[in-house]
Amino acid sequence: MKVYLIGAGPGDPGLLTIKGRDILSTADVIVYDYLANAEFLSYAKPEAEVIYVGKKGGDHTLSQEGINQLIVDKAKEGKSVARLKGGDPYMFGRGGEEAQELLAAGVPFEEVPGITSAIAGPAYAGIPLTHRDYASSVSFITGHENPDKPGSSHNWKSLATGTSTLVFFMGMKNLPHISKQLIENGMNPDTPAALVHWGTTAKHRSMTATIATLPEEGVKQGFTSPSLIVVGNVVKLRDELNWFEQLPLRGKGVVVTRAREQASGMAKSLTKLGANVIQFPTIKIDPLADYSEVHSAIKSINEYEWVIFTSVNGVKHFWLQLAEMGLDTRALGTSKIAAIGPATADILREKGIEPDFVPEKYVAEGVVKGLIERGMDGSKILLPRAKVAREVLPEELRKAGAQVTVLPVYETKPAGEQRDEVLELIKSGELSCVTFGSSSTVENFFDLVSPDLVKEHRDKVKLASIGPITTKTLEQFGFTPDIQPEDYTIPALVDDLVEKL
């Protein structure tokens, strides 16, 4: 029984601490806020109970008192509870109140600090909070004060004249009041000031003005909550040091439709380039209910001259069954191995196998051509793959005289998490591109999202296809992709996205 108050950081999933990640991976219960990036939940173990208690659109899913009681109750069930909070729990995060409730209830706890948005947001905007030439002190202040109440908890005179850099949390509604108080208490009206909106996330943007003009300029440029207010001469460095806003895909909404098991590499690449990645797996990868046929094929694996792997998932699930039978890579020692593309080849190399053949064109037709050139007449071939897949490869190899055994090792099923989010992004014009990594992702996407809706917003939403087979499926729904790389690989697709978006 223990509760961990974990700071999830400001939004960039890469800023979660290693300790926080490790606790999330073992916790029995995860209680999380709206501002905590949903990607963190992927670290949870499959059987973990995940409970959302945040605030969105002004509505609280659960009151603070309710959250406190929930955490106590779950811990007293003997469970390990990870309380995931945006930023740092002890920086305007009410983590101290939750810790006191835990102590009063006799529940042991640990606080795991997180990177606060007050530091990270300005840093991503190119604003260091301290600098030898500009600032030697920093104040963190809540801007969430009612300007109509008598008096103030802030010493405005000290803030206006005694600190080099000021950072206000939750101050957008009171920005005119903050500006007025600072100037009236001695701050030069021309003091540089900035707004940082959704710092470190794909929605990140910033602007600069003076403390006198910031309220008006912020309205003109459409800045809303959540935005940090930064005041001080360090703001002068923004134009010079603003690295994050130079990323090529910053602010672009990109949907990744691949199965979650396959999507992480592409999602990370796009996120590093600044994109707002929406993982919308339209298919999920499931194991088979019965692997007896696979086990029989493995027992006679030395009868096959070639074993052809057409996907990363095929390799993973085949090796799981090898392990289930107490075998390893050595079982394939007498067979030649083919991989349909570089990603499949790479995972085979991780297993200790250098493929004997990888085609120049990463589609079934390319595999067929290359293998036929190597002489297939009479060859016995094993093809571990999805339960349902294109029949081009086995059919063409049989025409060339090969004896092909198709061996299902996993199956794909439709999925549809985050459908509502994708629909809203399309309608609001915030979605820049939908990426498709296979024909099945196309078919399942348009089962979930009306083709007519996409056509209605086609001027803003680009479609990206991994290769010609996927493109043919898109054409069946009335679409010609805007992006299709010459090399049918994820890295090439990402490069083309940067160029076209």
Side-chain angles (χ1 to χ4, degrees):
M1 176 180 73
K2 192 169 187 178
V3 173
Y4 297 88
L5 303 174
I6 302 173
D12 180 344
L15 297 181
L16 178 70
T17 64
I18 293 172
K19 184 171 185 177
R21 180 201 64 192
D22 290 347
I23 293 170
L24 286 175
S25 69
T26 59
D28 301 312
V29 181
I30 297 175
V31 179
Y32 74 103
D33 281 337
Y34 173 58
L35 291 179
N37 193 300
E39 186 175 328
F40 300 143
L41 302 181
S42 66
Y43 298 126
K45 59 186 182 182
E47 65 272 24
E49 183 181 5
V50 178
I51 306 170
Y52 169 64
V53 295
K55 184 178 80 169
K56 190 172 184 180
D59 295 325
H60 288 269
T61 301
L62 203 61
S63 67
Q64 184 64 46
E65 293 73 20
I67 294 170
N68 296 343
Q69 191 59 51
L70 171 68
I71 295 170
V72 168
D73 290 345
K74 291 295 180 182
K76 287 194 170 181
E77 291 174 10
K79 295 177 178 178
S80 167
V81 180
R83 170 67 171 114
L84 191 62
K85 300 173 71 68
D88 178 86
Y90 285 0
M91 180 66 81
F92 298 118
R94 304 188 75 167
E97 297 171 39
E98 293 180 12
Q100 288 177 309
E101 289 287 336
L102 292 168
L103 279 178
V107 175
F109 80 95
E110 185 175 325
E111 198 267 352
V112 181
I115 298 174
T116 173
S117 61
I119 295 173
Y124 273 46
I127 303 172
L129 298 185
T130 64
H131 188 283
R132 285 196 301 173
D133 296 333
Y134 297 106
S136 56
S137 58
V138 184
S139 290
F140 298 122
I141 312 120
T142 177
H144 193 56
E145 277 202 320
N146 185 347
D148 298 324
K149 74 178 183 181
S152 170
S153 58
H154 298 327
N155 184 333
W156 287 104
K157 185 71 174 176
S158 295
L159 292 175
T161 60
T163 306
S164 304
T165 306
L166 308 178
V167 182
F168 289 87
F169 291 75
M170 303 168 289
M172 283 304 294
K173 288 183 179 178
N174 290 335
L175 180 53
H177 174 70
I178 292 168
S179 172
K180 180 173 179 287
Q181 287 293 326
L182 290 173
I183 293 169
E184 287 183 352
N185 282 275
M187 180 172 282
N188 186 333
D190 293 329
T191 300
L195 295 176
V196 182
H197 179 67
W198 276 109
T200 80
T201 74
K203 298 178 183 178
H204 169 112
R205 64 187 183 113
S206 65
M207 60 156 288
T208 59
T210 67
I211 189 57
T213 62
L214 192 64
E216 182 180 352
E217 286 299 317
V219 171
K220 282 182 181 177
Q221 297 189 36
F223 275 75
T224 58
S225 297
S227 294
L228 289 169
I229 304 164
V230 187
V231 186
N233 285 323
V234 288
V235 171
K236 294 176 181 177
L237 295 167
R238 172 184 171 268
D239 290 345
E240 180 184 351
L241 303 181
N242 187 350
W243 62 274
F244 186 65
E245 291 171 41
Q246 311 308 314
L247 295 177
L249 295 182
R250 188 187 64 81
K252 302 291 185 183
V254 181
V255 168
V256 176
T257 57
R258 305 183 90 202
R260 194 169 294 279
E261 296 88 344
Q262 298 170 295
S264 60
M266 183 178 186
K268 285 178 181 176
S269 295
L270 292 169
T271 299
K272 286 179 181 178
L273 294 166
N276 175 26
V277 177
I278 303 94
Q279 293 202 44
F280 181 46
T282 60
I283 59 173
K284 60 178 180 177
I285 308 298
D286 280 352
L288 302 178
D290 181 9
Y291 275 99
S292 58
E293 184 181 350
V294 177
H295 291 177
S296 296
I298 289 173
K299 287 176 183 176
S300 57
I301 193 77
N302 59 0
E303 296 177 10
Y304 295 96
E305 293 174 47
W306 283 89
V307 180
I308 303 173
F309 292 96
T310 60
S311 71
V312 169
N313 286 311
V315 176
K316 288 180 177 178
H317 286 270
F318 186 82
W319 251 263
L320 284 172
Q321 295 313 307
L322 278 178
E324 185 77 17
M325 297 175 67
L327 301 172
D328 58 23
T329 299
R330 291 171 293 179
L332 283 78
T334 61
S335 303
K336 292 182 180 179
I337 308 298
I340 200 168
T344 307
D346 284 344
I347 193 168
L348 283 168
R349 293 183 183 108
E350 289 177 14
K351 305 297 185 185
I353 289 179
E354 180 61 40
D356 298 282
F357 172 63
V358 181
E360 292 182 8
K361 293 293 184 181
Y362 312 130
V363 291
E365 290 81 353
V367 178
V368 169
K369 182 176 181 293
L371 288 174
I372 289 176
E373 289 173 354
R374 285 160 174 75
M376 288 290 107
D377 193 12
S379 295
K380 289 192 70 174
I381 296 174
L382 186 65
L383 184 58
R385 65 169 208 182
K387 188 173 183 179
V388 177
R390 296 176 69 225
E391 297 299 325
V392 172
L393 183 56
E395 288 177 357
E396 292 300 317
L397 289 173
R398 286 174 185 137
K399 288 178 185 177
Q403 300 174 47
V404 182
T405 299
V406 173
L407 184 68
V409 292
Y410 68 96
E411 61 182 325
T412 60
K413 294 180 179 178
E417 300 169 22
Q418 294 182 282
R419 175 178 178 269
D420 291 344
E421 181 183 356
V422 171
L423 292 176
E424 185 56 38
L425 288 170
I426 293 173
K427 292 173 184 176
S428 66
E430 296 179 63
L431 187 62
S432 302
C433 187
V434 182
T435 64
F436 298 101
S438 66
S439 290
S440 57
T441 62
V442 176
E443 292 163 349
N444 291 333
F445 180 85
F446 288 115
D447 279 345
L448 297 163
V449 177
S450 166
D452 291 338
L453 177 65
V454 176
K455 288 173 183 175
E456 184 181 339
H457 297 273
R458 194 68 173 88
D459 59 324
K460 293 184 178 177
V461 180
K462 286 184 169 23
L463 303 180
S465 165
I466 187 68
I469 306 305
T470 304
T471 293
K472 285 181 181 177
T473 309
L474 271 171
E475 289 169 350
Q476 293 172 12
F477 288 91
F479 297 101
T480 300
D482 305 279
I483 299 165
Q484 180 191 297
E486 289 187 15
D487 290 332
Y488 315 141
T489 65
I490 294 302
L493 182 60
V494 170
D495 288 343
D496 272 21
L497 282 171
V498 171
E499 182 181 339
K500 300 290 172 60
L501 295 185

